[in-house]
């Protein structure tokens, strides 16, 4: 959801930059958002991989008969 929020927040900047023909600002904005999104996704992936068992352990076990 955070990555979707970054993308949604980027849309007005891209639109304004495109309309004003400020292509360098558009390119810089997209690459900055891409870097932040990739860093967040990588950190979330590592966190979830390392702590997968404790996270699953938070939920009660459901016995299926």
């Amino acid at each position: 959801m955070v990555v979707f929020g970054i993308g949604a927040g980027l849309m007005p900047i891209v639109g304004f930059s495109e309309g004003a023909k400020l292509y360098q600002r558009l390119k810089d904005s997209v690459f900055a958002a891409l870097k932040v999104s990739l860093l967040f996704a990588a950190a979330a992936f590592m966190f979830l991989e390392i702590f997968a068992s404790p996270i699953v352990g938070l939920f009660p076990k459901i016995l299926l008969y």
Side-chain angles (χ1 to χ4, degrees):
M1 296 302 293
V2 173
V3 175
F4 286 125
I6 292 169
L10 179 66
M11 284 186 217
I13 297 169
V14 168
F16 296 147
S17 297
E18 176 73 24
K21 296 183 180 16
L22 298 172
Y23 300 113
Q24 187 60 42
R25 183 171 75 177
L26 187 148
K27 184 177 173 182
D28 293 341
S29 301
V30 170
F31 282 121
L34 181 64
K35 282 189 254 184
V36 170
S37 296
L38 284 174
L39 284 173
F40 179 81
F45 173 78
M46 292 303 295
F47 178 81
L48 292 174
E49 283 293 319
I50 292 169
F51 298 109
S53 293
I55 292 171
V56 171
L58 293 174
F59 298 96
K61 293 181 180 178
I62 298 174
L63 297 176
L64 298 175
Y65 293 103

